[in-house]
Amino acid sequence: MEPFPSDRIQLPRNMIENSMFEEEPDVVDLAKEPCLHPLEPDEVEYEPRSSRLLVRGLGEHEIDDDEEDYESSAKLLGMSFMNRSSGLRNNMSVYRQNPNGSCSVPSTRTMVVCTVVLVIAVSLIMAIYLLPKCTFSKEGCHKKNHTMELIYPLATNGKLFPWAKIRLPPDVVPLHYDLVLQPNLTTLKFAGSVKIVVNIVHVTWKIVLHSSGLNITKATITSAGGHQAKPVEFLEYPLHDQIAVMAPEALLVGQNYTVNIEYSSNLSDTYYGFYKISYKDENSKQRWFAATQFEPLAARSAFPCFDEPAFKATFLIKIKRDEKLSTLSNMPKKATTPVTNGIVQDEFFVSLKMSTYLVAFVVADLKNISRETNGSLVSVYAIPQHLNQVGYALNTAVKLLEFYQKYFFINYPLEKLDLVAIPDFQSGAMENWGLITFRETTLLFDSNTSSARDKKLITAVIAHELAHQWFGNLVTMEWWNDLWLNEGFATFMEYFAMEEIFPELHSDEDLLNLIFKAMMKDSLNSSHPVSSAVQSSEQIEEMFDALSYIKGASLLLMLKHYLTKDVFQAGIEVYLHNHNYGSARSDDLWDSMNEITNGTLDVKKLMKTWILHKGFPLVTVVRKGKNISVQQEKFLYRVEPENWTSDASYLWHIPLTYITSSCNFTHCTNAYLLDQKSAVIELPEEVEWIKFNVDMNGYYIVHYAEDWKTLIDLLKKNHTALSPKDRANLINNIFNLAGLGKESLEKAFELIDYLNKESSTAPLTQALFQLSLIYSLLEKKGEQQLAARVMHRIEHLLGDKIDQQRWTDDGTLSERELRSTLLAFACTHNMRNCRTTATEMFEKWMKSNGTMSLPSDVMKAIFTAGAKSSNGWEFLLKTYSSSVSEAEKSKMIEALASTEDVRKLIWLMQNSLEGEVIRAQELSHIIATVSQSLPGYLLAWDFVKENWEKLTRKFHLGSYTIQNIISSSTSQFATKAHLLEVKSFFESKSEESSQLHCVKEAIDTIQLNIQWMERNLAKLQELL
């Protein structure tokens, strides 16, 4: 899945959750009998307190000698205590009664036995009390013999639910699904039936699977070879989205059974599951569209299923629809048959073995263009009025599909590949096998309104999703803790493929900027390892972040450069061949690489130091003659010492690379594996300068100690001695070190003094990013004069460059992109005569009623300037509603959100949340843009607070959109009052909200901003 917006960027643990079949140790073995009861003894466990469960069983009544009490409690717990209770009852007579009615003194033997029994009983109670995952009644001891009780999940009907864990039991596996669906785009409901063929791995009386929000009306089970479907009881436990089908007899190992379930539901009004979308057709008439988004946990809301990635199965899908509409699914259509008047049924071929989150279907009025390549038909679909914008996507998809097949040495295994533009879509795209769904802005290219950046975005997202057809679809991570195997690989391949096929796009510069942003997140104590143990839905959603995508890709990039590209490619081939149509863990990838390195390098040992640990190293370099001392430590912003988790002793195995003044071409790159705290590299000769982390191909920051002065001088005298990426890397590193207090801000400003000679996009963009962060902090803190001096410094460095930009679309793609960036920045901050020129062009465009063609690369700058006036803003909004170009609308949205009119900003955010004029998919982008301006940053936070419940209902807690909204609305706070407000707000919400990684990250960021201001405010006043 590709997150959105284009700035792609849990409680951390150091151990991979190794297997979906790994069982937690049983808490208490309450029954030894091997009886086949619906609640099997090995499933008895204590339920966490957060579960909304009723308490029954032992402890509700006094425990006395009455056999009936033992029997009823035992029945409730699903096991028999009869033998034990009678045995216990027989031994209750410690004091024997004499015939005359008086009691005799107990014997010594009896006393010893009682003492031993008492010690054992106390020990057991203490052991149970100290066990994790236990919950005890807080109501106190109301009766003399009150005992602590087990807490079991109760199903919705009040009966015991036979499973208490979030993960499904491993005793039943699905083999095949027959799914029939009938969505109604008038009533906006759907009916469905599913037949699931399952195989029994361990003897059981129950089949536990997922279902969410489905109204189940009938459930039956059929044994293999049996012809009669037997009705079964089914239990529902909504807290875990689980249902249990209770078999009338034991389900035997090795046998296949078919579970039949009939159900109905509403089409979702969120972006998850089987959801509805409204749009206007060519005649401005409202039409409905139904599409799916199942990753990570929403297939269960469209059909009952085993909704975990390792439970792969085949799928036969049939969809009943209005004959005027069309349907698409993962596989090609096999047949269409009439059902009733005006309704037909489309049947699709049986799928390959795949995970539930990759199942997809679309019901809509769509048009397409197609082309065949290597036996597969590639098609791009859109609503009819957008059909003229799909040509670029088709050409790009065909080129990329051909490239991946050659690179992986595995053909794309399906006969068709559909790419569909969805009018309302939360993420950037979704890699459903054979049916990739896209947001319209990431698939549609309009030659009149799409800029160089738009073209790059579309190419990147298609490249990402096509890479998933192998990484994710053919080979899938076993559980969500290893999501990076899907997303890190797809991100890595996206940029690698673009460099190979579309070198003119300079996509490597984009990856560089994304890595810089991911490192900002990873440098906080709230970060998490790339591979992190996850269980809850919020934890799983939060794995879709910059670390899984960008850090994952960066680590693969580093490994590719260290192993060499041929060894790396061979390792990938082995991995895909060894695990195709199956599931994998991180170790499987390293084992595949080790098959190729054949003992010359232990890739697993090297890479485990990176994926099982959060953060990254800071390498300090000291040069003395020919000897270069290198030392590693953790790069970490320490914002709250009492909460700081120390990793001082942690060692990364760092594949260092470096170039020197004696030879600074790429082929002269030297490598050294730093697997100790420190080491000395001896050069063959003394050199004038040395630069580590060549082209930023490694995931670490370098501190040059005394050598910073040498590198600053080099940039002033001959900046082209280093590559553009190396120059951007130096700018990033020195500003980060200044933030850490390891280097002075003065030296960072000194390093960028060379920028008036710079012409490459990567270093200019990075410098602009770092200076904009400082400007924003000062502006929001009320230090307007100082902020103006920062802007004056930017103008001094980049003013000539801004003046050189032409208001056209000519030049290379890289030049065009730099033009977009510089002019949009200059117009936003009223620099040079940018806003005057842009306003004149906007007024001409407005006079033509929006028909005049504007250069696409500077369109955003023109719209932003035009939106400053009330008339211009209103005209933009009117034009937005009628525009058919998604690229143009995207630029308009950003301009509308850049106004300084508070009422307009509030209206814009509110309207987008409601999804009337502006779609809810735009909301996170709108909030991010509003947050940038002085009047907007407090409004954005107030909006988030006031609408928190609506936001989390629409976008789901932990989702990438919620992460972005929290980050953008709080990241510019730099006062203790705001820190307290943000902390208090999230603490007042549910535990799930307050424990989100993105909330902890927001708090860390505010603390860091406060610390930065305290450390640098006085210095800035001197410097500027």
Side-chain angles (χ1 to χ4, degrees), residues 981-998:
E981 188 184 328
V982 173
K983 274 185 172 178
S984 302
F985 172 75
F986 286 111
E987 281 167 7
S988 73
K989 299 300 166 189
S990 66
E991 189 180 345
E992 291 86 357
S993 294
S994 62
Q995 291 303 309
L996 288 174
H997 271 303
C998 53

Side-chain angles (χ1 to χ4, degrees), residues 692-703:
F692 276 81
N693 201 359
V694 179
D695 280 344
M696 184 64 195
N697 288 328
Y699 192 74
Y700 55 94
I701 278 179
V702 184
H703 180 25

Side-chain angles (χ1 to χ4, degrees), residues 770-785:
Q770 295 293 345
L771 293 170
S772 295
L773 286 180
I774 295 171
Y775 170 81
S776 289
L777 275 184
L778 292 169
E779 183 194 40
K780 309 305 185 298
K781 189 81 165 34
E783 296 284 348
Q784 261 65 35
Q785 282 190 323

Side-chain angles (χ1 to χ4, degrees), residues 69-89:
D69 274 334
Y70 280 100
E71 179 67 5
S72 61
S73 297
K75 278 180 179 171
L76 184 67
L77 290 172
M79 55 198 71
S80 172
F81 281 89
M82 284 301 294
N83 294 334
R84 299 182 205 183
S85 64
S86 57
L88 181 61
R89 214 172 41 252

Side-chain angles (χ1 to χ4, degrees), residues 40 42 81 123-124 132 160 221 246 287-288 314 322 342 364 481 496 507 533 553 732 739 748 809 891 913-914 947 950:
E40 286 150 35
D42 67 331
F81 281 89
S123 303
L124 275 171
L160 284 177
I221 193 166
M246 310 306 294
R287 301 289 300 273
W288 288 96
T314 54
D322 186 311
N481 62 306
F496 175 66
S507 57
N732 173 270
D809 280 342
K891 297 173 186 68
L913 178 58
E914 289 158 9
N947 295 281
K950 285 183 186 173

Side-chain angles (χ1 to χ4, degrees), residues 47 65 75 204 232 268 332 368 380 382 509 551 561 629 657 671 706 718-719 751 802 852 953 956 970:
E47 182 67 13
D65 295 343
K75 278 180 179 171
T204 184
V232 289
S268 171
N368 70 290
V380 184
E509 294 176 355
K551 182 177 180 179
H561 280 280
S629 299
T657 55
E706 297 306 312
N718 179 22
H719 67 281
L751 184 135
I802 290 164
M852 186 181 102
R953 193 162 56 246
H956 284 218
T970 60

